[in-house]
Amino acid sequence: MTMNLKSLSAIALLALAAVGPARAVDDSIYRGLGGREGINNIVATMIKLVLADPRINETFVDSDMKRIEIRLGEQFCVLSGGPCVYNGDEMREVHGGLKVTNAQFNALAEDLQIAMERNNVPSYVQNKLIAKLAPMQRAIVTR
Ligand code: HEM
């Protein structure tokens, strides 16, 4: 079968129609968190709470908290639909050897929630970010 230019462009149009119009990313959670600045403030508050939280702080004694702070900010930005790139390692890889429990996971989520509350994030936005993190539990909790 020979293809002329006309049939090729018809195929190209069909392919485009199948993909559909480009959809904008929903960044409503990102905006609800206060954008990049809001996320930076939330993560800074969260790190302080985590380091003061006897349920989990021992896990972080040998960690570079500045690195975690930067990576968490990137991750929350991406998850919330913001214009960022996550430059960290995969959750399974990072937490694999830490033997994190469900109780510890929940403690950290609670600290995040308090951090959002203190930074005036509306509760429906808080819940949406927490819901985005919930699927990571399977990769992070190994005990
Ligand atoms: C939703 C829950 C969590 C998220 C989104 C999360 C996210 C992250 C991120 C982005 C990093 C940095 C990765 C990198 O450096 O490339 C990290 C590191 C780390 N996380 Fe988590 N984490 C979660 C839960 C937990 C929990 C419950 C614990 C323990 C109580 C924990 C302990 C650690 C430790 C110790 C590190 C540093 C590892 C190292 O120093 O190599 N994380 N986490």
Side-chain angles (χ1 to χ4, degrees):
M1 188 176 81
T2 58
M3 285 222 204
N4 58 27
L5 203 59
K6 220 170 175 181
S7 55
L8 269 178
S9 51
I11 288 166
L13 274 177
L14 275 174
L16 272 178
V19 172
R23 259 175 300 162
V25 175
D26 177 3
D27 67 350
S28 57
I29 306 176
Y30 176 71
R31 285 184 281 109
L33 293 170
R36 202 61 183 88
E37 197 188 339
I39 290 173
N40 284 349
N41 293 335
I42 292 161
V43 172
T45 309
M46 176 186 167
I47 295 282
K48 283 187 198 131
L49 289 168
V50 165
L51 290 178
D53 189 337
R55 297 173 296 180
I56 48 178
N57 57 6
E58 281 172 18
T59 319
F60 294 91
V61 285
D62 294 326
S63 300
D64 177 349
M65 295 315 290
K66 197 65 216 170
R67 178 189 156 111
I68 297 181
E69 185 170 342
I70 292 166
R71 298 291 175 249
L72 269 179
E74 291 169 355
Q75 199 184 37
F76 291 173
C77 178
V78 171
L79 279 174
S80 64
C84 302
V85 174
Y86 173 64
N87 294 302
D89 297 321
E90 279 186 33
M91 290 296 93
R92 200 173 288 281
E93 206 176 297
V94 173
H95 302 91
L98 298 173
K99 294 191 160 49
V100 175
T101 63
N102 270 317
Q104 287 178 315
F105 185 92
N106 292 337
L108 184 132
E110 206 177 292
D111 290 341
L112 168 59
Q113 197 133 18
I114 296 167
M116 290 192 281
E117 191 69 39
R118 291 200 185 157
N119 285 280
N120 306 311
V121 174
S123 54
Y124 75 94
V125 178
Q126 294 180 22
N127 293 339
K128 283 187 172 173
L129 182 63
I130 297 285
K132 294 267 181 196
L133 295 175
M136 292 182 181
Q137 186 150 2
R138 289 187 52 218
I140 293 170
V141 172
T142 49
R143 195 163 59 141

